[in-house]
Amino acid sequence: MAYTTRPLRPGVYVPLPTFFDDKQEIDFHSYRRHLLAMVTRGMVPDFDERVSLIRFIRETLDGEGLHSTPIVAGVGGLSTRETISLSKAAADAGADAGMVILPAYYAASLNTDMNQDIQYYVDICEASPIPLLLYNFPSNAGGQDMSSEVIGAIMKKATNLCGVKLTCGGSMGKLIRLQALISEDTTINETRKFPFLLLDGLIADLTPWMQCGGHGTVSGIPNFVPVASMRLWSLLNLPSATETERKEAKKIQGILARADAAAVPGGIRAMKYALNKLHGYGMSPRKPLLPLREAEGEEFMKVLDEAMRLERDLTEVASTPA
């Protein structure tokens, strides 16, 4: 079966949380509200759920006339075979690309020989009907941290690899080395349907990331402050920013960086708590995770207050007639 996939472009990609009701069933109503709130502000949905949600997202986007918006789905499994199966299922459901983290279960064995990592991505990319992104996130992969040399080797061998997301220590150095590789080896982009993407996993350092040749971010922070996040993105992409615009970008970057620093340790539990307080979405994460305790949640909301005030100010400016 031939698949027509939408290209992925530089930008802000937002990992969408999945909302549940009291019975741990998916709350599609809240999911639809949040999905459209993000996409209509210019962000691309990225999430780690399966077939029913992919179909739901595609139908929702198409129903709102957002036919060109791509979907990136988490398709990483515990084995090569499972990841290939998940990529095919995601393609059938309407995903345009998949994102794959290394299997955490085999971390100890995989760490003994990096050639296993390379072969893993080569195999899944060859078999996947949609382009794949490599996701290097040691904290969620049993401590496995791929070097720029390993990632570069995969880029050269797997032409269906369309990009990387780096949520790891030393990510800026890896970005610089991978960007240099793309500049030196023109076949990397010549053999792909669209230019290879180098995405950051934290909006906290989006400014230096872009200055070093990066192409955007995949960050949870835009779930809370979409207007501020897209304002920073637009400022960083101005061909010749004024001094005032540079100062504004620096201010927004600082505020979002502080919010990011607080959000990362809290993970999905903190995200769910904040979105419940802001928009009334379901607070419960998927068990065995439990909702944040009220005291923890309120402390997180205090840290977010600065970013939320910025969001309100920018939203007010955007809605004021010129």
Side-chain angles (χ1 to χ4, degrees), residues 195-259:
F196 197 88
L197 290 179
L198 299 169
L199 301 173
D200 190 13
L202 298 169
I203 204 169
D205 50 16
L206 182 58
T207 297
W209 189 265
M210 298 296 291
Q211 291 170 343
C212 292
H215 303 119
T217 185
V218 184
S219 169
I221 291 300
N223 282 291
F224 314 124
V225 286
V227 176
S229 299
M230 293 309 296
R231 177 59 180 166
L232 176 60
W233 173 253
S234 65
L235 288 169
L236 294 178
N237 281 278
L238 290 173
S240 54
T242 65
E243 180 63 24
T244 299
E245 290 166 335
R246 285 193 291 272
K247 286 182 178 179
E248 182 185 0
K250 185 176 181 180
K251 175 185 176 182
I252 295 174
Q253 179 67 88
I255 292 173
L256 297 189
R258 287 188 284 275

Side-chain angles (χ1 to χ4, degrees), residues 73-224:
V75 297
L78 293 178
S79 67
T80 298
R81 180 171 180 161
E82 183 182 9
T83 299
I84 291 171
S85 176
L86 289 171
S87 71
K88 291 179 178 178
D92 288 339
D96 300 285
M99 185 175 290
V100 181
I101 193 171
L102 283 171
Y105 187 80
Y106 299 109
S109 294
L110 287 172
N111 271 332
T112 63
D113 183 357
M114 293 297 105
N115 287 314
Q116 297 177 106
D117 297 346
I118 296 171
Q119 194 60 50
Y120 173 64
Y121 279 99
V122 168
D123 289 343
I124 62 176
C125 284
E126 285 182 353
S128 174
I130 53 178
L132 299 179
L133 292 103
L134 179 156
Y135 185 12
N136 190 48
F137 190 13
S139 296
N140 280 16
Q144 299 173 91
D145 186 4
M146 285 178 279
S147 67
S148 54
E149 289 75 20
V150 168
I151 297 172
I154 297 169
M155 289 165 59
K156 290 182 178 182
K157 293 184 176 183
T159 58
N160 199 30
L161 188 77
C162 65
V164 300
K165 174 188 174 184
L166 301 178
T167 310
C168 51
S171 60
M172 200 67 65
K174 290 177 183 177
L175 164 66
I176 294 170
R177 290 188 289 273
L178 294 176
Q179 181 59 45
L181 174 62
I182 293 172
S183 298
E184 295 162 4
D185 187 348
T186 58
T187 63
I188 289 175
N189 278 334
E190 291 170 354
T191 55
R192 287 169 168 81
K193 295 180 180 178
F194 49 85
F196 197 88
L197 290 179
L198 299 169
L199 301 173
D200 190 13
L202 298 169
I203 204 169
D205 50 16
L206 182 58
T207 297
W209 189 265
M210 298 296 291
Q211 291 170 343
C212 292
H215 303 119
T217 185
V218 184
S219 169
I221 291 300
N223 282 291
F224 314 124

Side-chain angles (χ1 to χ4, degrees), residues 283-319:
M283 187 187 300
S284 297
R286 177 169 284 159
K287 291 182 177 180
L289 296 179
L290 298 176
L292 280 187
R293 297 182 183 89
E294 194 67 21
E296 295 174 302
E298 286 307 308
E299 190 63 31
F300 179 57
M301 294 304 293
K302 289 179 183 177
V303 177
L304 280 189
D305 183 64
E306 180 187 32
M308 296 312 305
R309 282 188 277 111
L310 171 67
E311 181 76 2
R312 288 191 293 271
D313 290 345
L314 289 174
T315 301
E316 184 177 327
V317 170
S319 61

